[in-house]
Amino acid sequence: MVQLYNLHPFGSQQVVRCRQEPERVCCGGQDALFVAAGCKVEAFSVEAGAPEPARPRCCFSTLGRVLHLSYSEPGDYLVTIEEKNKATFLRAYVNWRSRTTENSRVCIRMVGHRVEGCFREASKDQMSIIEIPLSEPPLCVSCCPVTGDLLVGCINKLVLFSLKWQVISEAFSMLDFERSLVIHIENILPVEISFCAAYIAVMTDLEVLILRLESAPKDGVNVDPSPPTKNSPSRQAPTEAGRKSRTYPAPAPQLESEDFVICQKPMELLGEVSRQSGLSVTLESTGLNDERASPSWAHPILYRRFTPDVSSYVFPDDTKLHSLQLLPIYQTGAVTTDGKSSPQEKELLSLFCFFSLPHIGYLYMAVKSVELMSVYQYPERSQQAVLTPQFLHVITSNNLQCFTVRCSAAAARDADPYVDTTLKACPPVSLDICALRMQLFIGLKAICHFKNHVILLTKAGAEDIPERRKSSKRLLSRKDGSVNLKTPSAMEDGWNLYLVNTISTVQLYKEMVDYSKAYKNVRTQSCIHLLSEAHLLVRAALMDPCLTEPGEKEELLEAFRESCEHLGDCYSRLDTQCSHLALPYYNMAGLSMTDVLTRIDSVVEDGSQKPERGLLFYINHSLYENVDEELSEELAAKVSQIFSAAEPKQLPHALCSPCMKNMDPLMAMNHLKKLNISGSSSVLVTLTKASMALKMGDLDAYKREMKCHTEMELVCGFILEPRLLIQQKKGQVVPTELAAHLRETQPEFLVASILGLLKNNKIGVEEADTFFKINSCSHYGLIYPWLTFLTSSDSLHDQNYAEDLSKLQSLICGPSFDVASILPFLEPLSEDTSAGLSIHVLCLTRMKEHEQALNSLLDRCPEAVIPYAQHELKEEGPRALWWKKLLPDLCQRIKQGGEKYEVHLSSLKETLAVVATELELRDFLNVLPEDGTVAFFLPYLLYSSRKKPKT
């Protein structure tokens, strides 16, 4: 089904002034437009906003009449198929931008020959023509938009030429080609081909085949991913050196008869099933020194065959396929350091294939999955079509038609795994096609597209003008067969080449949004459909890797967010199967719950009008997810009113959300009293009433509600809604006012309730542990890490003694212990033992006696000195002990030697590293000992001198 709208995707149009009547047209890159006429090609530079949009750049002669031409942005070359004396030639025109005049010198060379010999210093500033010889006449060509490689179609085969850059000197490289692969396809006559990355599409009059090229594994072993079945023929052995082949079942022999014309049945084969097409595909590698691995396999992924309509007499052209095209969509954000896109580094995200019959077009996805996306039915017989990421442009004899496409919808799902979740959404690929515009042009013959331009070639004859067609029909209907049908000279053919500018994406987006307002109050799908079209239009523009202007990108992002707002509004107001999409679209728009509720105007204050499912779903989900957002009292009242009118059973859950903190408890109590809920839900209502009574300070009402049910029933109510006791706030577990009251009045009941939540998986163990800790006073603290150096395992043989020591250490490290008051109880502990030493040093540390603690450690456990200093000497005051205490003491002890010499030396190095970092060079020199060895202190001095001074 095609939705018809009368929008304006086309803006101004200008006439491209050519010297001769155009026969072939192609364009591409940033500004290149080529027009072939006779034995000449004119090149134009297309610049948006310039006084002359298509400025002539150069003109060059060809060997013969141009039959086909194609442009490649990688390499910036033009390739042509030319005919002269009934022979066809394949040529590539390189460095054409350097051609200044029509009589400028041209360098002609041949593929496969050394280019150094024909190179002269002037060659880098002149156009080169590369002759590409073939054993069979070329029929069609295609250039890969990713690599710039060239694919040529011949009878029963395709020839692949890799793009090369031959280094002539350090300052100059010349473009060249190397024949790298021949793909033999039996019984096929290619009419059009398209080539992108590792995908090749081939089209005959009634058949389309897409192949995916793959290289052999790195170990060089050819592995067949799907072995032939019992009834299928095995792979052919290589027939010559260097050939890598893969053969598919050959077509069954067809009956031939002089009296009958036998047509094969229509066929559509997708994915791996395409191997049953009957086409034999064989690869022959011909590359000599190709750096890239030559493909070894050609997997058919799509095969479609059509049957001519023989039920009535029709002209042959009325059943032929045309306009084969592979459309790539790249990963966004792939830009170079100068902010411009690099074609050689584009990363393919999705690939789409389009081809068309005269009255119907087909668009397929062709990468991760192969499937038919869209079918386009034209009101008139089409001449040609061109696919872009945003539109499909089709020309009939007298109309330029613009259809929307679903490429961005499919690519969005390939690029983002969060699409179609509660976080993100995208209109579906199955969305109905939209015809935006039909623009009248007389005698349309050809179309091409690049950037924001549509190029149209028109040749208007007598048969192309509607009035003259009617006149001709009247003349033909006369009985007199001798009527003179000679056309006057005024009716002779005329031609024009038009450059039609498509309007900006944001401008067309705004027109679509304005158009959708006509359907806003009708509550139909048309509003959603048109807003979805606008959303996809902006999404496709944002996927363009050439989008590098910050201003343009920000304008598109703003339109994208606005389109999400509009779609969120639609789905929140309309009662559809997809009403839940209000949530992800509002999330993508970056709207808070406050923003959304402020936008809603469908609910009147007295609640007489029920809100639709989309709004309810959004609010319900947001009350659970957006826990850090607090609604105002007015909006909280609005939410409670919505649930009271539309979903009363959800009202207690809504009131328990942290977002509803500012809800007037008296109003909430009034809403709850109106509920008539029985069974388990009545317990939940009772607990919610009790919670509201506490907020109002009405303890009598609280007690009445809590006495309505037994403690076991109340525990079941907490299991239904854990947020009555525990709420999440900024990632922290926070007890509610009800939980705090139960801690003071019924602690056993509170513990039983939390255990009930834990047993029913309503909270986790860590949450329960945290809850029992922001609700009890913990006298224990984390044991300081340096204590592990003091407590040796061999001195604590008694497990109970070790456990008691850990508890004592934890108590002293805790927040509630007054260390000075317990010192008399610790005096019996001797510092000669590791346990006693640890307790005494720990007490000194808690009393800020760091210097005395260091003395004890230096005397009895120097191994713990540095860990102690790193943990305790961080603050401004104690930090000076590094150079006032540790540095001189360690230097003195090193002079004395002894069994702890190595420990003291290691500690001195650690101390010097810290002091060199903390002090400026002059201060560092002042604290160093005067009798030290220079070589030992020199690295630390160098580090201190090179560091940046502190500001």
Side-chain angles (χ1 to χ4, degrees), residues 30 75 138 148 199 276 307 376 520 639 697 773 809 826 842 848 894 943:
Q30 297 298 315
Y199 294 84
Q276 302 173 10
T307 301
Y376 296 85
K520 183 175 181 180
V639 169
K773 285 181 179 179
Q809 290 174 340
L826 301 179
L842 186 56
K848 305 296 183 182
I894 287 176
Y943 174 79

Side-chain angles (χ1 to χ4, degrees), residues 19 40 58-61 99-106:
R19 300 181 186 178
K40 289 188 179 296
C58 65
C59 180
F60 47 89
S61 299
R99 187 170 178 81
T100 55
T101 64
E102 194 169 347
N103 296 324
S104 300
R105 294 177 59 86
V106 176

Side-chain angles (χ1 to χ4, degrees), residues 208-388:
V208 175
L209 173 67
I210 301 181
L211 302 172
R212 183 180 69 243
L213 301 180
E214 292 185 3
S215 299
K218 293 183 178 180
D219 55 7
V221 180
N222 290 340
V223 179
D224 191 347
S226 56
T229 60
K230 180 173 66 175
N231 297 326
S232 62
S234 60
R235 280 177 28 209
Q236 286 185 346
T239 55
E240 59 183 72
R243 172 173 291 196
K244 302 170 185 176
S245 64
R246 173 74 182 271
T247 303
Y248 300 100
Q254 297 186 9
L255 298 176
E256 296 183 1
S257 173
E258 296 179 357
D259 299 326
F260 298 95
V261 176
I262 299 177
C263 298
Q264 293 180 313
K265 293 182 180 180
M267 181 184 295
E268 182 190 43
L269 302 175
L270 304 178
E272 293 297 322
V273 187
S274 304
R275 301 182 182 189
Q276 302 173 10
S277 63
L279 293 176
S280 175
V281 181
T282 305
L283 269 60
E284 177 186 355
S285 178
T286 61
L288 299 178
N289 54 357
D290 192 358
E291 296 178 358
R292 289 173 289 187
S294 180
S296 304
W297 308 96
H299 296 285
I301 60 172
L302 184 147
Y303 174 77
R304 182 146 190 183
R305 181 174 63 217
F306 298 89
T307 301
D309 184 7
V310 295
S311 60
S312 61
Y313 176 76
V314 291
F315 294 102
D317 289 343
D318 285 344
T319 57
K320 288 184 179 179
L321 291 165
H322 64 78
S323 303
L324 176 68
Q325 184 180 349
L326 288 177
L327 176 72
I329 290 185
Y330 306 102
Q331 285 279 15
T332 55
V335 293
T336 57
T337 54
D338 59 358
K340 297 182 179 179
S341 174
S342 176
Q344 285 79 11
E345 298 177 359
K346 290 178 179 177
E347 182 180 354
L348 189 67
L349 173 65
S350 300
L351 188 69
F352 305 90
C353 180
F354 175 81
F355 50 86
S356 181
L357 286 169
H359 290 281
I360 188 168
Y362 301 90
L363 179 60
Y364 283 84
M365 283 189 289
V367 176
K368 294 187 177 179
S369 63
V370 184
E371 59 182 286
L372 180 63
M373 274 179 51
S374 305
V375 176
Y376 296 85
Q377 294 184 343
Y378 318 129
E380 300 177 357
R381 179 183 179 276
S382 63
Q383 309 261 92
Q384 193 178 354
V386 61
L387 180 68
T388 76

